[in-house]
């Protein structure tokens, strides 16, 4: 099997939950909301993620905001790339994968401005071989075409095998299987949690890849 590893972006490579909380706090301050409203926003995010149009429709109705949904959503997309973070250890170990011969790519759903901004500002765009963003390509996970585009950008072909790591059973895992990867080559991992640090989570994720990946990370764990 060729050494190809594809990763989801939000809640897999980056701390999207932490970024959303910071965004919710800023939103609450801007609109003079109460502290308990931040909890309401984060709860709604978990309920409707990743349907942002639905999210901001509900937010606008709940707080009786004058701004149209499109304006609220655009403001979110503009701000999030500045709030999202990627642990430096994740960036380093993606580089380590490539250094030992792996092709590394990212497959993500989302609007082009938001997702490309995250990739560039976190530094992820500089440490992978390629990426495919649904808002750019016009197809969304679990559509197999997005996985094939990502593999091609990495100079690889899914016909020769590879691995997909993501936190969504349908979009990431079922999508990768539809693209031709076997079940054993599609790894579902839990999203970022509060009980473990991002880098501990990441190294746990790497240990579920083949032994040649485990070896490059062992000395750092």
């Amino acid at each position: 099997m060729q050494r190809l590893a594809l990763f989801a972006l939000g809640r897999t490579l980056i701390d999207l939950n932490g970024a959303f909380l910071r965004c919710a706090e800023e939103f609450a301050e801007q609109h003079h909301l109460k502290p308990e409203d931040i909890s309401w926003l984060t709860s709604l995010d978990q309920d409707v993620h990743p349907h942002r149009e639905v999210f901001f429709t509900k937010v606008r109705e709940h707080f009786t905001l004058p701004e149209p949904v499109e304006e609220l959503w655009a403001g979110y997309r503009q701000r999030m790339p500045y709030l999202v973070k990627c642990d430096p250890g994740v960036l380093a170990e993606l580089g380590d994968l490539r250094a030992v011969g792996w092709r590394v790519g990212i497959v993500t759903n989302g609007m082009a401005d938001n997702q490309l901004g995250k990739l560039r500002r976190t530094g992820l765009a500089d440490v992978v071989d390629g990426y495919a963003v649904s808002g750019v390509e016009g197809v969304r996970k679990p559509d197999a075409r997005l996985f094939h585009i990502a593999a091609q950008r990495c100079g690889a072909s899914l016909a020769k095998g590879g691995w997909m790591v993501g936190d969504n059973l349908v979009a990431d895992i079922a999508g990768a299987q539809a693209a031709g990867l076997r079940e054993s080559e599609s790894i579902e991992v839990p999203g970022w949690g509060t009980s473990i640090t991002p880098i501990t989570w990441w190294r746990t994720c790497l240990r579920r890849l083949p032994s040649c990946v485990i070896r490059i990370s062992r000395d750092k764990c």
Side-chain angles (χ1 to χ4, degrees):
M1 180 187 298
Q2 70 182 347
R3 291 183 172 187
L4 170 67
L6 300 177
F7 295 88
L9 179 60
R11 296 188 170 97
T12 299
L13 294 178
I14 58 177
D15 184 6
L16 189 58
N17 290 341
F20 181 86
L21 177 58
R22 291 187 287 274
C23 188
E25 291 171 343
E26 290 184 358
F27 185 86
E29 182 178 1
Q30 177 184 356
H31 293 277
H32 308 290
L33 304 181
K34 301 175 183 178
E36 55 266 30
D37 292 328
I38 298 174
S39 297
W40 184 87
L41 289 167
T42 56
S43 177
L44 179 63
D45 173 59
Q46 295 295 326
D47 290 341
V48 304
H49 180 81
H51 305 290
R52 290 300 174 201
E53 189 170 4
V54 174
F55 175 85
F56 284 108
T57 297
K58 291 182 177 293
V59 168
R60 184 176 187 268
E61 293 173 350
H62 184 79
F63 297 112
T64 320
L65 300 177
E67 299 93 332
V69 170
E70 292 78 8
E71 183 177 328
L72 295 171
W73 189 11
Y76 168 86
R77 298 198 310 269
Q78 183 179 17
R79 185 61 181 143
M80 279 295 282
Y82 293 88
L83 298 176
V84 76
K85 297 178 181 179
C86 180
D87 191 287
V90 173
L91 295 172
E93 291 181 354
L94 286 173
D96 287 346
L97 285 180
R98 296 175 71 195
V100 296
W102 280 74
R103 297 282 183 169
V104 179
I106 296 173
V107 190
T108 179
N109 285 342
M111 300 290 282
D113 53 355
N114 190 19
Q115 301 305 81
L116 291 174
K118 292 173 185 174
L119 288 169
R120 292 164 181 163
R121 292 197 62 82
T122 58
L124 282 165
D126 299 323
V127 297
V128 298
D129 294 292
Y131 47 82
V133 177
S134 69
V136 176
E137 310 302 338
V139 290
R140 292 178 57 86
K141 296 183 295 185
D143 193 311
R145 288 175 290 176
L146 198 63
F147 296 88
H148 284 287
I149 291 171
Q152 291 169 3
R153 297 265 168 79
C154 294
S157 170
L158 291 185
K160 298 180 180 179
W163 293 78
M164 174 65 199
V165 181
D167 65 298
N168 189 294
L169 184 60
V170 175
D172 298 322
I173 307 309
Q177 292 170 16
L181 297 179
R182 298 190 301 272
E183 184 175 358
S184 61
E185 298 161 356
S186 305
I187 302 175
E188 182 189 16
V189 293
W192 298 82
T194 57
S195 60
I196 58 175
T197 64
I199 193 59
T200 299
W201 174 93
W202 170 251
R203 288 166 182 166
T204 301
C205 168
L206 284 188
R207 288 191 183 94
R208 299 181 65 181
L209 288 173
S211 58
C212 50
V213 180
I214 298 173
R215 285 198 297 272
I216 70 167
S217 191
R218 181 171 296 158
D219 293 341
K220 303 178 183 179
C221 295

